[in-house]
């Protein structure tokens, strides 16, 4: 069969044929196949008696992580081979969902007697497949910063204790092979103790690495980010592309990265394969970080969440259900529901302004309804009719409930600076009142406060469905005291599909903010940052838009 007949018989769309060949499969030398590479696909058709169109496989180059050429050890055989690795979305056995499943296409080239010439031909194919699949990536809409350079030198940190203690097994079972297929050179580092990764990235010569990837839960990435920001060259260091592979029990960022890619929800090893695929594709976007000031500890940086009350308690108490893997949060939630507590505290925040770039703008969609700002001790803000004012759900804030404490007529611009890391321009010292353009929440009795800057709180908890990694937004949720156990359970069940905001729960408030302050009044309690326990006491936070780099889809 020549190229003309192939073109007439096999190509059903208008994409350009760039290579055509006829090869046998590496594992079956009996049947020949025609192989066509177009700009978009690799099309493999079994030649012989089967009618055209049957036995034809069209593999999208979007799903291809790599392609390599090689010769086998057998010196008597002049053949060379090329293998292309695909991870297409496939329907799961007995379920309606789809997940990425590995598919290898391996061809044997033996047209010539000269092994070198066969290898050259195989290399030509491998290069062409790689180049075209790299071109087939979806280029994002401005969020994309870059692509990982090739060859890529990757530091891969694995926490052998995370989750059920299975991270190394998962690495051996999936990730090692995927990285090899994608031509990514990686150095595996197994962490030995808490803060090992933090110290490593603080001290390492970062020019040796094109990316730092963690395979663990969110806790290990928290260490890496804080380690990078403790360096004197933090500004450069925090631009190192960071990747995440779910190997722990709290894999919220991994679930978020998967969610941002637009794929339907998956868990466990399917989530790992999806994140491995996205890592191999190597698209790098920006990621927001949130700086956190505690009353006496040094400033911290967070990429995921800040929790107080119910969620923080579940985070901590569910440690003992670690053997249950990701289900530990479900178990923890049920246990804590049985002994529901109320937490006292003061909460204030700086809403996202309408003009996102306007640092000093009025709260989004709010208008000043008190004319006499000078004389009123508590000028009030009320929601305007503007449709963009959707930041206050469920009309929890009616009339007098959005109070702004009067301090100065303009917020203090005194930046809090503690090196290294970027200065915080929105915060005043914790000992001072919050600036005048902040909103003080009137309630002081809460069941939970949760600030999220990624979509997922856990693999199966879609807390902030419209979050993205670099929107410069903190999604602030709080649940006021008075909610029944049943209603709170309903919220968490709805959160599995990200539907909690549609439940019309009168106790739940969601608002988008750029900074917030929390002053717990209950003498005892838990506060967690990215799932890790931090000092309990007053704190305030500010988002730093796009400060870090994340390998995502
Ligand atoms: P998980 O989601 O299972 O909790 P994490 O990645 O959050 O997994 O890790 C949990 C904790 O383990 C983190 O505080 C991390 O710093 C710590 N850690 C990292 N490496 C080790 C190790 N080798 N042994 C014990 N703890 C470790
Ligand atoms: Mg965000």
């Amino acid at each position: 069969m020549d190229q003309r007949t192939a073109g007439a018989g096999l190509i059903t769309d208008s994409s350009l044929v760039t290579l055509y060949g006829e090869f046998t499969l590496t594992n079956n030398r009996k049947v020949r196949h025609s192989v066509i590479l177009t700009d978009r696909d690799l099309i493999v058709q079994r030649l012989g008696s089967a009618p055209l169109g049957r036995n034809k496989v069209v593999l999208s180059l979007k799903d291809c992580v790599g392609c390599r050429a090689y010769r086998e050890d057998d010196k008597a055989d002049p053949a060379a081979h090329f293998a292309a690795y695909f991870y297409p979305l496939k329907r799961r056995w007995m379920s309606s969902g789809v997940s990425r499943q590995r598919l290898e296409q391996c061809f044997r080239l033996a047209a010539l007697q000269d092994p070198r010439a066969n290898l050259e031909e195989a290399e030509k194919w491998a290069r062409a497949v790689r180049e075209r699949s790299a071109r087939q990536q979806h280029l994002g809409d401005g969020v994309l910063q870059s692509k990982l350079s090739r060859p890529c030198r990757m530091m891969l940190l694995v926490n052998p204790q995370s989750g059920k203690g299975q991270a190394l097994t998962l690495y051996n079972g999936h990730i090692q092979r995927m990285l090899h297929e994608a031509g990514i050179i990686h150095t595996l580092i197994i962490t030995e103790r808490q803060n090992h990764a933090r110290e490593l990235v603080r001290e390492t010569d970062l020019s040796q690495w094109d990316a730092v990837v963690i395979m663990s839960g969110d806790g290990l990435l928290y260490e890496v980010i804080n380690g990078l920001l403790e360096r004197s060259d933090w500004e450069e260091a925090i631009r190192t592309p960071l990747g995440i592979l779910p190997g722990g029990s709290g894999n919220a960022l991994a679930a978020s990265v998967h969610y941002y890619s637009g794929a339907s929800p998956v868990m466990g090893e399917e989530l790992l394969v999806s994140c491995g695929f996205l890592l191999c594709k190597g698209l790098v976007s920006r990621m927001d970080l949130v700086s956190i000031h505690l009353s006496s500890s040094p400033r911290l940086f967070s990429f995921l969440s800040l929790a107080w009350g119910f969620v923080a308690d579940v985070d901590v108490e569910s440690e003992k259900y670690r053997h249950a893997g990701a289900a530990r949060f479900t178990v923890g939630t049920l246990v804590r529901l049985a002994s529901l507590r109320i937490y006292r505290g003061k909460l204030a925040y700086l809403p996202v302004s309408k003009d996102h770039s306007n640092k000093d703008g009025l709260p989004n969609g709010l208008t000043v309804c008190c004319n006499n700002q000078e004389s009123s001790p508590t000028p009030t803000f009320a929601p305007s009719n503007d449709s963009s004012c959707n930041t206050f759900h469920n009309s929890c804030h009616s009339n007098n409930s959005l109070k702004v404490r009067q301090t100065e007529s303009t917020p203090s611009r005194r930046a809090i600076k503690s090196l290294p890391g970027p200065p915080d321009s929105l915060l005043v010292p914790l000992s001072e009142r919050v600036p005048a353009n902040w909103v003080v929440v009137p309630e002081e009795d809460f069941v939970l406060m949760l600030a999220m800057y990624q979509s997922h709180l856990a693999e199966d908890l879609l807390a902030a469905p419209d979050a993205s990694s670099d929107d410069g937004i903190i999604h602030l949720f709080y649940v006021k005291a008075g909610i029944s156990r049943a209603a709170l359970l309903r919220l968490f069940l709805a959160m599995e599909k990200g539907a909690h905001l549609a439940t019309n729960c009168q106790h739940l408030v969601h608002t988008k903010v750029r900074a917030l302050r929390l002053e717990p009044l209950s003498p005892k309690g838990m506060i967690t940052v990215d799932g890790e326990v931090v000092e309990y006491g007053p704190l305030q936070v500010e988002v730093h838009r796009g400060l870090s780099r994340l390998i995502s889809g």
Side-chain angles (χ1 to χ4, degrees), residues 159-163 191-195 214 216-221 223 247-251 319 322 328 532:
N159 174 1
Q161 304 297 333
S162 63
T191 61
E192 288 161 12
R193 61 198 141 77
Q194 191 163 33
N195 283 327
I214 71 109
S216 183
D218 299 302
L220 200 63
L221 186 62
E223 282 192 20
S249 47
N251 301 312
E319 270 291 323
R322 169 171 288 278
R328 84 180 223 207
E532 303 291 306

Side-chain angles (χ1 to χ4, degrees), residues 236-251:
E236 177 84 33
I238 198 61
R239 288 200 291 262
T240 307
L242 303 174
I244 188 139
L245 296 168
S249 47
N251 301 312

Side-chain angles (χ1 to χ4, degrees), residues 260 287-288 303 452-455 466-475 543:
Y260 302 148
M287 178 166 73
D288 300 338
F303 61 91
M452 294 284 309
Y453 4 107
Q454 305 289 347
S455 60
D466 63 344
S468 65
S469 69
D470 71 333
D471 51 14
I473 293 172
I474 299 172
H475 290 263
V543 65

Side-chain angles (χ1 to χ4, degrees), residues 87 169-179 269 272-273:
Y87 287 83
T169 311
L170 291 171
Y171 164 80
N172 288 323
H174 297 277
I175 298 305
Q176 188 179 31
R177 182 173 67 185
M178 282 181 112
L179 295 177
E269 288 189 41
L272 178 65
V273 171

Side-chain angles (χ1 to χ4, degrees), residues 155 199-209 212 228 231 233:
M155 180 198 282
E199 290 155 21
L200 253 168
V201 298
R202 198 164 54 205
E203 309 301 335
T204 190
D205 170 9
L206 283 172
S207 69
Q208 292 179 73
W209 308 107
V212 175
L228 291 173
R231 295 169 62 108
D233 65 347

Side-chain angles (χ1 to χ4, degrees), residues 320-338:
K320 53 177 172 283
Y321 313 118
R322 169 171 288 278
H323 59 271
R328 84 180 223 207
F329 299 106
T330 313
V331 180
T333 299
L334 293 174
V335 171
R336 176 93 327 248
L337 265 177

Side-chain angles (χ1 to χ4, degrees), residues 8 30 51 136 239 257 310 344 371 445 484 498 519 525 540:
K30 292 209 181 94
Q136 276 302 308
R239 288 200 291 262
V257 164
F310 189 89
R344 297 217 76 206
N371 294 327
D445 288 329
S484 67
E519 295 170 68
Q540 55 182 354

